[in-house]
């Protein structure tokens, strides 16, 4: 799947709140970082490893934000992956950078948020 198709699947999965569809985008050995990982008590450094931990984190995020949706703003493509820039349900700007493996799954993700 190309980057544009991936983005379409990503937004559709999150906006449908479809946990299995969200997790299907990530490799088993995913490394995922976000300041919300620390805020939700998963890891003090904001990094989790593996799909089991990612599932627990996404479940908690969906529970805590019942109106969570993402509105795409931009797709930036790089040599090893891409960055999705979007606004969440509160209008906050965010970006998630994905490093992809050979089969098109995310092996490393860094979620960042506008602090302005």
């Amino acid at each position: 799947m190309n980057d544009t198709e991936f983005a379409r699947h990503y937004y559709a999965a999150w906006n449908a709140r479809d946990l299995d569809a969200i997790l299907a985008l990530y490799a088993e050995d995913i490394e995922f970082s976000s300041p919300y990982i620390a805020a939700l008590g998963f890891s003090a450094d904001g990094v989790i490893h593996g799909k089991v931990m990612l599932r627990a984190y996404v479940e908690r995020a969906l529970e805590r934000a019942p109106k969570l949706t993402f509105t795409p703003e931009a797709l930036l493509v790089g040599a090893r992956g891409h960055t999705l820039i979007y606004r969440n349900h509160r209008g906050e700007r965010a970006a998630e950078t994905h490093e992809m493996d050979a089969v098109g799954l995310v092996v490393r993700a860094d979620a960042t948020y506008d602090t302005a």
Side-chain angles (χ1 to χ4, degrees):
M1 140 176 25
N2 67 35
D3 297 295
T4 301
E5 291 169 345
F6 181 94
R8 189 171 49 250
H9 287 279
Y10 176 91
Y11 292 118
W14 276 98
N15 289 340
R17 305 174 61 77
D18 184 338
L19 180 61
D20 290 329
I22 294 166
L23 293 173
L25 301 170
Y26 297 90
E28 288 297 323
D29 60 346
I30 179 68
E31 177 184 290
F32 191 94
S33 70
S34 168
Y36 289 112
I37 289 170
L40 293 175
F42 282 93
S43 172
D45 67 356
V47 180
I48 55 176
H49 298 274
K51 219 175 207 181
V52 171
M53 288 300 300
L54 182 62
R55 174 179 285 277
Y57 169 70
V58 172
E59 283 175 339
R60 175 97 42 93
L62 292 173
E63 287 170 4
R64 291 182 56 103
K67 295 182 181 183
L68 181 66
T69 56
F70 298 153
T71 302
E73 288 196 348
L75 168 63
L76 310 175
V77 178
R80 290 193 259 178
H82 56 254
T83 299
L84 304 173
I85 300 173
Y86 56 88
R87 292 205 182 259
N88 66 20
H89 60 293
R90 293 186 300 265
E92 299 164 334
R93 194 166 191 217
E96 192 169 315
T97 299
H98 297 143
E99 183 178 325
M100 312 301 284
D101 68 10
V103 297
L105 296 176
V106 180
V107 293
R108 184 170 294 114
D110 293 301
T112 57
Y113 303 90
D114 191 348
T115 60

